[in-house]
Amino acid sequence: MKRIIFVCHGNICRSVAAEYIMKNLSHDFIIESRATSFEEIGNDIYPPMKRELLRNNIPFERHHATRIDQNDFNNADYIFYMDNENKYSLLRMFGESNKIMPIYQFTEGIYEIEDPWYTDRFDVVVKQITQCVKDILKSI
């Protein structure tokens, strides 16, 4: 089974939302999420993101934010990041790789997934991630 890892800065908003959105839509992959930073390690999903997932009927479990490591990289088939900051962090950690790509790789009109920690637009982010995940499922 192919392994997909969604990555964002802290692994408490965007990447974990993508993980549970994809798990809700498909059981054909091993799906995980990770952070590029150490800032939120061990923390659960950010409460406003939990509320937005609940509003969208997306089930989730207790989460513990985790930073991506070499083992994750080696075992992943696809690593999807949310924005250019995540991309540059992944490139610094692992170098160029065809398994690292934006979550919006297969989606027209979306060029990054903003960080709702700063923008407070959790509804927009969940809608965009959902569209990107649907497009990923059609494309891989």
Side-chain angles (χ1 to χ4, degrees):
M1 203 177 300
K2 300 268 187 205
R3 183 174 181 212
I4 295 172
I5 301 175
F6 293 103
V7 177
C8 69
H9 183 77
N11 190 217
I12 60 168
C13 290
R14 296 171 292 173
S15 60
V16 70
E19 174 186 350
Y20 285 110
I21 289 166
M22 184 172 253
K23 283 179 176 177
N24 193 44
L25 297 173
S26 175
H27 301 287
D28 297 331
F29 302 92
I30 298 167
I31 305 162
E32 300 173 307
S33 62
R34 298 288 187 268
T36 58
S37 76
F38 290 103
E39 292 172 29
E40 299 288 345
I41 299 307
N43 289 340
D44 197 4
I45 303 169
Y46 190 50
M49 181 56 81
K50 281 185 181 181
R51 286 191 291 277
E52 194 58 37
L53 293 173
L54 288 169
R55 264 195 288 277
N56 285 274
N57 298 310
I58 300 163
F60 57 87
E61 301 170 357
R62 173 75 170 95
H63 175 71
H64 300 277
T66 306
R67 186 173 190 258
I68 193 167
D69 62 21
Q70 190 67 51
N71 187 53
D72 292 323
F73 176 80
N74 292 344
N75 292 312
D77 295 289
Y78 302 96
I79 299 171
F80 291 104
Y81 61 83
M82 303 293 155
D83 62 27
N84 282 334
E85 179 189 328
N86 307 150
K87 174 186 176 182
Y88 298 133
S89 295
L90 289 167
L91 291 175
R92 278 193 308 273
M93 286 187 249
F94 306 114
E96 290 282 341
S97 171
N98 61 0
K99 65 173 78 174
I100 298 173
M101 63 188 77
I103 191 173
Y104 45 86
Q105 175 81 21
F106 307 106
T107 303
E108 298 216 8
I110 297 176
Y111 305 103
E112 89 167 355
I113 304 296
E114 68 188 54
D115 193 338
W117 173 273
Y118 300 105
T119 67
D120 203 35
R121 295 181 352 143
F122 292 89
D123 56 336
V124 171
V125 167
V126 168
K127 282 185 182 98
Q128 288 181 332
I129 290 172
T130 300
Q131 185 59 56
C132 292
V133 166
K134 287 178 179 178
D135 293 339
I136 289 168
L137 288 170
K138 287 185 226 168
S139 301
I140 62 172

